[in-house]
Amino acid sequence: MKYRKILLGLLLIAAGMTACTKQLDALLVNPNAHSLSTADVDLLLNNVQINFNSFYSTASD
Amino acid sequence: MARQQYWGGPLYNNAYSPASFDGEWTTAYSSVLNNAKALIPLAQAQLKYTESGIARVLSAYTLGTLVDQFGDVPYSQAELGSANTTPGVDPGASTYAAVQSMLDSAILDFNKSGATIPSGVDLYYNGSKANWIALANTLKLKFYMQVRLVDNTAAAKIQALVTANNLITTPAQDFVFQYSKTLSPDSRHPHYAADYVNSGGVGEYLSNYFFWKVAAEKYSGNVNLPSTAAAPTTGDPRLRYYFYRQQTNYANANQQSLPCYTNYSNNVFPVWYPSVPSATPYCVVGKGYWGRDHGDNSGAPPDGAYRTAWGVYPAGGEFDYSQGKAVALGMGAGGNGISPIWLSSFTAFLEAEAALTLGTTVGTGTPATLLTSGVTQSINKVVGFPTAIGYVNTSIPANALASTTQITNYIALVNSLYTAATTPAAQLDIIQSEYAIALWGNGVEAYNNLRRTGSPKNMQLAVTTAAPGIFMRSFFYPSVFVNRNSNAPAQKTPGTAANKVFWDNNPDNFIK
């Protein structure tokens, strides 16, 4: 009986750890982070273009 | 430094401080190059090859210009994030090679099939890949021309690019940034914003030399600005477009408002100056043009109401029809100007220089015909500019506008000067003089050309001393670089030493 309880406890711990790992993986994905496929390239390009002209203007004076 | 705008001096070693260049450096590394580097892999993954090509072209121009102005700068160790927060510098020649590779990669990107860039995203060419390719090729030409003194392989590369002729050769391909009239956020041309205000007057000085160069040099030093009583037949057709005078005479000039005026009136000029005004300007150019001499470090008097402002080209200011009115907010084209980063006329001048100095074959063109092409394209760009930006002012008399006869006569005058030049050096000086005039609003190329060719040779000398030190052949490293980066090289000593960039093998005293 005692061994059964220990075995059951170990199984529960193992199951809990497995479940916890799966949840943790999901939690570690930052919903606000951009991926290669979702980042807005055109927004970034706007910044590059505006700042390029700013650089030119400063270098030109 | 290239005398387009006023330089306060009085000595080359104290005219600037390292902190003067912090903004330019920070914008380049923290904004343009950093964001472009982040953008390129994203764009590649999303098949947005036009976007990645644009990012590469803008990065190439930025890096090349950093080398032109500072010499050896960080490249291979830069933009690595936390992996290297103290990047060392690369030799200028290595960075220039990387610039050429970037431009090649950009052309490859533009030639790929991928996602179409959305309308309105491309602020320069509105998505025209053909124009971007022409720009990339033109920048390759520009950077190869820059190294022609130190790289004996450059001539063949220049010839190949000129022969292929996929360059910026028409105004429709001009590489410009278009400003607007919008005040908030302030999207006006920065020199319009500095000059056109309701109180205090014009906030900066333009260069007396540049006034003289455009208005007077070819006319024995006397300003040639025809009256508006009849259609103009002589004079530089761009003059009324380039500068706006608040005063058309010097009735307000006195010892307080213009301290050098007494000396000027008494014909007392710096003894180291050549003949005034036929060979150089001093203090006053004529007809109300109000600027400053090279290296004048005297305090600024309350002369904001008299200073000459940037005109309708390229700053979107006012057209000068001799109205002599004070500047005001919203006056003229409202700041709806451009940054003339690369124009088709610049390509023609560069080809003229290549044909003359390297023997480059440019179709059927000769240095003389290419010079004519450059001048013609520049004038057409400038006199067509008000219409191009939608500026209408019904008060402008028709006779104040450039006329066909005036344009024809001006080009004929330039041609006669070129024909009269008997040596290649003198001919190159004519080409570079006209190139310098066409560059109004582009100090980047003016400074590069001056160091590469030494022309225009009649640059105004420093006004307060005959010995201002050695002309700055590169600038101080910015303080944000040398003070915060343990791997930065020792600070340079511009003004005391030449500190030339790698492509400049001209003598130290080449430029005054």
Side-chain angles (χ1 to χ4, degrees):
Chain A
M1 190 62 184
K2 187 177 179 182
Y3 288 117
R4 279 186 186 170
K5 284 182 178 175
I6 291 171
L7 188 59
L8 184 60
L10 287 172
L11 284 171
L12 283 171
I13 289 169
M17 287 179 71
T18 305
C20 184
T21 302
K22 284 180 181 173
Q23 286 176 355
L24 190 62
D25 284 346
L27 289 171
L28 285 174
V29 176
N30 179 358
N32 295 320
H34 292 301
S35 69
L36 283 174
S37 59
T38 62
D40 190 335
V41 171
D42 295 328
L43 204 58
L44 204 49
L45 183 63
N46 187 60
N47 177 292
V48 173
Q49 291 180 98
I50 295 289
N51 280 297
F52 171 78
N53 180 61
S54 177
F55 166 78
Y56 164 82
S57 296
T58 314
S60 183
D61 271 352
Chain B
M1 298 303 294
R3 277 77 152 181
Q4 274 197 352
Q5 296 180 64
Y6 155 71
W7 170 78
L11 305 176
Y12 285 122
N13 69 5
N14 68 4
Y16 298 104
S17 70
S20 307
F21 305 98
D22 285 354
E24 177 183 343
W25 187 271
T26 303
T27 302
Y29 281 104
S30 297
S31 298
V32 180
L33 297 174
N34 189 33
N35 286 328
K37 185 169 184 179
L39 182 156
I40 291 168
L42 299 174
Q44 293 280 321
Q46 297 176 28
L47 308 184
K48 293 188 169 183
Y49 299 118
T50 304
E51 283 89 333
S52 63
I54 293 172
R56 292 186 205 276
V57 170
L58 301 185
S59 296
Y61 183 101
T62 302
L63 262 178
T65 302
L66 287 170
V67 172
D68 293 341
Q69 301 204 338
F70 299 106
D72 298 343
V73 298
Y75 167 61
S76 62
Q77 299 174 33
E79 310 299 353
L80 298 178
S82 58
N84 187 348
T85 57
T86 55
V89 299
D90 293 271
S94 301
T95 307
Y96 248 50
V99 164
Q100 291 287 354
S101 295
M102 277 183 203
L103 292 168
D104 288 334
S105 297
I107 293 169
L108 288 174
D109 276 348
F110 292 128
N111 281 320
K112 287 178 185 171
S113 298
T116 303
I117 189 168
S119 176
V121 168
D122 175 358
L123 302 179
Y124 294 89
Y125 285 133
N126 198 24
S128 169
K129 293 198 284 186
N131 282 350
W132 278 106
I133 291 171
L135 172 65
N137 282 317
T138 306
L139 292 180
K140 288 177 69 67
L141 174 68
K142 158 185 144 75
F143 288 118
Y144 281 139
M145 280 296 287
Q146 207 65 272
V147 301
R148 70 174 174 80
L149 298 174
V150 297
D151 181 356
N152 59 14
T153 69
K157 295 167 183 169
I158 290 165
Q159 182 64 71
L161 284 164
V162 170
T163 301
N165 197 31
N166 191 358
L167 303 168
I168 293 177
T169 54
T170 68
Q173 299 171 298
D174 286 347
F175 181 49
V176 302
F177 181 84
Q178 178 68 57
Y179 292 94
S180 77
K181 299 179 181 179
T182 304
L183 274 166
S184 181
D186 194 348
S187 306
R188 302 169 299 164
H189 192 287
H191 286 292
Y192 182 93
D195 288 4
Y196 291 84
V197 294
N198 282 334
S199 62
V202 173
E204 60 188 330
Y205 287 108
L206 300 183
S207 155
N208 276 339
Y209 171 79
F210 201 68
F211 294 149
W212 176 86
K213 186 85 186 159
V214 180
E217 181 192 13
K218 297 182 181 71
Y219 310 98
S220 305
N222 301 308
V223 170
N224 188 338
L225 183 69
S227 81
T228 57
T233 57
T234 60
D236 192 318
R238 294 162 289 194
L239 183 55
R240 291 185 183 275
Y241 300 77
Y242 273 13
F243 317 118
Y244 174 71
R245 294 167 300 156
Q246 299 186 91
Q247 307 273 315
T248 57
N249 54 47
Y250 298 100
N252 292 301
N254 54 47
Q255 188 63 30
Q256 284 71 44
S257 64
L258 190 61
C260 60
Y261 194 66
T262 302
N263 280 345
Y264 171 81
S265 300
N266 294 325
N267 289 327
V268 176
F269 310 129
V271 294
W272 55 92
Y273 266 33
S275 176
V276 177
S278 60
T280 194
Y282 171 71
C283 188
V284 162
V285 176
K287 297 201 173 180
Y289 288 98
W290 193 296
R292 278 217 156 181
D293 293 322
H294 187 62
D296 180 353
N297 70 328
S298 60
D303 60 352
Y306 314 137
R307 298 178 194 173
T308 298
W310 286 66
V312 65
Y313 178 90
E318 179 61 291
F319 179 84
D320 184 343
Y321 57 94
S322 301
Q323 63 270 53
K325 291 181 180 174
V327 294
L329 187 65
M331 193 177 190
N336 190 19
I338 58 167
S339 293
I341 306 169
W342 195 272
L343 307 181
S344 60
S345 58
F346 303 172
T347 306
F349 287 118
L350 214 53
E351 289 179 331
E353 179 186 337
L356 180 69
T357 61
L358 300 172
T360 305
T361 301
V362 189
T364 58
T366 65
T369 60
L370 293 163
L371 168 63
T372 300
S373 173
V375 174
T376 304
Q377 291 188 65
S378 170
I379 292 173
N380 289 342
K381 176 80 178 182
V382 173
V383 302
F385 190 69
T387 302
I389 61 171
Y391 173 55
V392 177
N393 183 345
T394 54
S395 298
I396 299 174
N399 288 332
L401 301 172
S403 72
T404 305
T405 305
Q406 185 187 28
I407 294 170
T408 303
N409 287 342
Y410 181 82
I411 292 169
L413 175 59
V414 171
N415 287 341
S416 69
L417 292 171
Y418 188 84
T419 303
T422 54
T423 65
Q427 291 167 338
L428 181 60
D429 196 45
I430 300 292
I431 293 170
Q432 290 300 326
S433 285
E434 293 308 310
Y435 194 175
I437 292 172
L439 278 168
W440 177 231
N442 185 325
V444 171
E445 303 309 329
Y447 184 45
N448 286 341
N449 294 347
L450 182 59
R451 289 176 293 160
R452 186 178 70 252
T453 68
S455 288
K457 294 194 182 301
N458 62 3
M459 287 281 188
Q460 186 181 28
L461 301 175
V463 72
T464 61
T465 172
I470 298 175
F471 182 84
M472 304 173 86
R473 305 285 274 276
S474 71
F475 293 128
F476 283 112
Y477 279 125
S479 62
V480 290
F481 178 45
V482 291
N483 293 349
R484 298 177 185 174
N485 184 337
S486 57
N487 288 322
Q491 181 58 279
K492 293 182 285 184
T493 56
T496 304
N499 295 130
K500 292 178 281 192
V501 300
F502 84 97
W503 48 256
D504 179 0
N505 65 356
N506 290 308
D508 288 0
N509 60 355
F510 192 52
I511 305 164
K512 299 298 182 187

